[in-house]
Amino acid sequence: MTDRIRKGSVLTLKIDRLAYGAKGVATTPQGKVVFVPDTLPDQVVRAKITRWRSQYAEAKLIEVLSRSPLEMDVPYPPIPGAPYMRLSLPEQTRSKIEIVRAAYHHIAQIDLSSVTYDGYIPSPQTYHYRNKMDYAFSEVLWDEDEKKMYNGFGLGFKRRGSWLCVENIERDTGLFDPEIENALPRLRIYLQQTGMGAFHPSKHRGVFRGLVCRKSQWSGQILFGLVLHLSPDEIKTVHTEEWAKAFVEIFGKRVAGIILYFNIEKGDRPLTMLPSTCIYGENKLEERLDGLKFELQLESFFQTNTLSAERLYQRVCTYVEAVNTSTSATLLDLYSGAGTISQCLAKANPNHHIIGVEHVPEAVEDARSSAKANGISNIHFICKDARDYLKAETDKAIDVVVVDPPRAGLHPKVVSALGDSGIPHIVYVSCNPTTQCRDIQAWIDVGYHIERYSIVDQFPHTAHIETIFLLRKG
């Protein structure tokens, strides 16, 4: 009977559980596992098969036929980045723990039930916890009621699965600063009245491409970044002082600075790759984490949930202290970014020497500057690719290495180099358990074992999961 179901088939399915990546898991009567994004446990849905493989299938949600008894009403609009907003926090916690354990079991054949589990660390704030948010402009908008696209001036989030259209933000979404998000419709109206137009992703016309906001949880100040489909020369003919005046009128005294970024390419680019100019205030603000000061620009890497990051780094320090018996150890922080983990380690272990390795020059410069401002002297930052550093420093005695790589995980050569290094302990921080377990499996094959782990809820209501694993050699 399974040959009757194929790509394009429409099925009625009951969602059994959640998998990593905001996907619900259902099983057909024939035993085929089907992944359906944007669904919740115990929902009954209609879904269209988009991919059919021998072991599993993927489907696109058409409609929810019956709600889950686990769903609850919330005062916030649905947005693509918060698929679990209507799921209670206890159920989110249970599901995320299950997702981590299932990923390790199915991908790496690692049974975490025999490993010491140090618990689930909740976010101190359930809502409005983000310190940074990216919004998109588009000439193409999505009408959820009519289920169709239309032209206009949009400012909000890209519709899930679409690079073309956005859904307007009309009020607080529950994730970022409510005062700022409630004022975004006023900003949209003002920018639309300039007549310069929102960017059309396929026709490459219009000026306004993106809006980036960074908030200091310590001061409440906000940095605003406008990404424009203009060159630095073209902006000279625009009265940007009027834009700055409008921002201050709309958002008030909390505006710390307004920076313009210029992108004339067809596709989006990271802020670090774009030329920019500050048209109001400063291009940076001060944030505090674990009593340490950090000066952040819009393009600086910094954990998105400041208060939860403090708990994350405290657990990292606890793991390092638990295995480090030396009074003057050398600790290596790979992928050190702006130096947050490195400085927390240095503060907690003043007699140890910390080495931070990061390949982005601007991040290293920020790290050195903030370490100096914080009066931390037992730390040394090196601007180098992690692979190159490990290759060049094979004779350096390292007691503990902390790695906190991007979502894609560690490069295979870094995994291999660390496995061959003989470093006694590895603390692996990850925002993606599916790549983390792959890397850890490679270390287990060369003699490491998992000693303990924790799960951190950095992002309530989203599919993201942060994990900390401690490994020991031998």
Side-chain angles (χ1 to χ4, degrees):
M1 292 182 63
T2 56
D3 60 349
R4 297 181 185 178
I5 304 175
R6 55 181 62 87
K7 183 177 179 180
S9 297
V10 176
L11 307 178
T12 298
L13 300 167
K14 181 180 179 181
I15 305 302
D16 301 318
R17 57 185 173 86
L18 295 174
Y20 183 74
K23 296 177 181 179
V25 182
T27 305
T28 68
Q30 297 81 18
K32 174 74 74 172
V33 172
V34 184
F35 295 99
V36 190
D38 303 321
T39 56
L40 299 175
D42 293 333
Q43 284 182 336
V44 177
V45 305
R46 289 181 69 238
K48 183 177 182 179
I49 300 296
T50 56
R51 176 177 293 182
W52 187 263
R53 294 291 183 265
S54 59
Q55 299 298 319
Y56 68 94
E58 296 179 6
K60 180 180 180 180
L61 176 66
I62 297 175
E63 64 176 323
V64 176
L65 298 176
S66 65
R67 281 171 51 117
S68 166
L70 301 173
E71 288 185 69
M72 61 181 190
D73 294 326
V74 293
Y76 306 110
I79 59 172
Y84 304 153
M85 183 66 83
R86 300 190 315 279
L87 207 56
S88 70
L89 280 174
E91 184 60 26
Q92 290 183 43
T93 299
R94 188 198 65 77
S95 294
K96 289 185 176 184
I97 294 171
E98 181 182 285
I99 287 168
V100 171
R101 292 174 175 170
Y104 270 77
H105 175 71
H106 293 298
I107 298 173
Q109 291 74 55
I110 297 173
D111 182 7
L112 291 179
S113 64
S114 59
V115 178
T116 300
Y117 173 50
D118 291 318
Y120 189 90
I121 304 174
S123 172
Q125 287 182 279
T126 303
Y127 299 100
H128 308 119
Y129 57 83
R130 291 186 64 97
N131 58 34
K132 187 179 180 184
M133 191 68 94
D134 291 67
Y135 307 98
F137 292 95
S138 181
E139 184 182 323
V140 186
L141 292 93
W142 176 256
D143 187 318
E144 181 61 28
D145 294 332
E146 298 292 331
K147 305 295 183 186
K148 66 179 183 180
M149 294 184 290
Y150 67 98
N151 287 350
F153 190 102
L155 169 58
F157 297 113
K158 289 285 182 72
R159 182 170 181 259
R160 186 175 176 86
S162 172
W163 58 274
L164 183 63
C165 60
V166 304
E167 299 178 59
N168 270 335
I169 288 182
E170 301 294 350
R171 57 189 175 90
D172 170 26
T173 65
L175 296 187
F176 190 54
D177 188 280
E179 183 180 7
I180 299 302
E181 290 199 322
N182 284 329
L184 285 180
R186 289 179 59 196
L187 178 66
R188 183 182 73 234
I189 292 169
Y190 169 78
L191 295 177
Q192 183 175 12
Q193 289 174 345
T194 66
M196 303 186 79
F199 183 64
H200 195 299
S202 64
K203 297 182 179 179
H204 310 119
R205 67 188 183 203
V207 169
F208 300 106
R209 298 185 67 141
L211 175 69
V212 185
C213 306
R214 181 186 286 283
K215 172 185 176 181
S216 167
Q217 296 283 17
W218 172 70
S219 69
Q221 294 290 100
I222 310 283
L223 280 180
F224 293 90
L226 268 178
V227 184
L228 307 174
H229 187 59
L230 292 174
S231 69
D233 287 334
E234 289 174 308
I235 199 65
K236 294 177 182 178
T237 63
V238 179
H239 296 293
T240 55
E241 66 276 6
E242 295 298 323
W243 293 4
K245 182 180 178 181
F247 266 83
V248 174
E249 287 179 351
I250 293 170
F251 299 109
K253 295 180 179 180
R254 298 179 64 193
V255 180
I258 304 167
I259 302 94
L260 305 182
Y261 294 86
F262 306 100
N263 180 11
I264 58 174
E265 303 296 326
K266 292 182 178 179
D268 294 333
R269 294 288 186 274
L271 295 185
T272 52
M273 298 177 62
L274 302 179
S276 63
T277 184
C278 183
I279 63 169
Y280 177 86
E282 302 289 335
N283 68 346
K284 56 189 175 182
L285 49 67
E286 183 177 316
E287 181 63 290
R288 301 281 180 95
L289 189 152
D290 195 28
L292 300 170
K293 302 175 184 178
F294 295 93
E295 284 194 340
L296 304 176
Q297 300 181 0
L298 277 170
E299 52 266 44
S300 301
F301 172 77
F302 197 79
Q303 287 284 357
T304 309
N305 185 340
T306 306
L307 299 180
S308 186
E310 288 188 346
R311 294 184 173 185
L312 169 70
Y313 296 155
Q314 287 165 2
R315 181 58 55 88
V316 170
C317 290
T318 298
Y319 279 5
V320 170
E321 292 164 8
V323 299
N324 188 29
T325 57
S326 172
T327 56
S328 57
T330 299
L331 313 179
L332 175 62
D333 178 15
L334 284 182
Y335 306 91
S336 57
T340 47
I341 290 181
S342 297
Q343 293 185 58
C344 288
L345 287 170
K347 178 186 174 185
N349 302 276
N351 294 323
H352 299 339
H353 179 58
I354 318 298
I355 302 172
V357 178
E358 170 60 49
H359 76 284
V360 178
E362 294 82 3
V364 174
E365 192 175 313
D366 287 345
R368 289 170 178 164
S369 176
S370 59
K372 183 178 180 180
N374 288 315
I376 295 176
S377 59
N378 59 325
I379 196 167
H380 177 52
F381 289 104
I382 299 173
C383 187
K384 210 166 194 176
D385 181 81
R387 289 172 290 175
D388 295 336
Y389 176 83
L390 292 171
K391 184 178 180 180
E393 303 291 340
T394 53
D395 60 339
K396 187 176 289 293
I398 303 294
D399 297 281
V400 184
V401 59
V402 178
V403 293
D404 185 7
R407 193 174 303 279
L410 295 168
H411 189 282
K413 290 185 178 179
V414 173
V415 175
S416 178
L418 284 173
D420 295 339
S421 69
I423 295 174
H425 302 97
I426 300 174
V427 179
Y428 192 155
V429 181
S430 174
C431 58
N432 185 345
T434 66
T435 55
Q436 183 188 45
C437 68
R438 173 203 66 197
D439 298 339
I440 286 178
Q441 178 59 64
W443 291 331
I444 290 175
D445 291 341
V446 295
Y448 283 88
H449 71 272
I450 301 172
E451 200 158 88
R452 57 201 321 121
Y453 74 103
S454 301
I455 301 174
V456 186
D457 193 9
Q458 286 275 84
F459 308 100
H461 318 301
T462 78
H464 300 301
I465 308 170
E466 200 90 10
T467 51
I468 314 168
F469 275 69
L470 171 61
L471 294 95
R472 183 191 294 269
K473 181 79 170 180

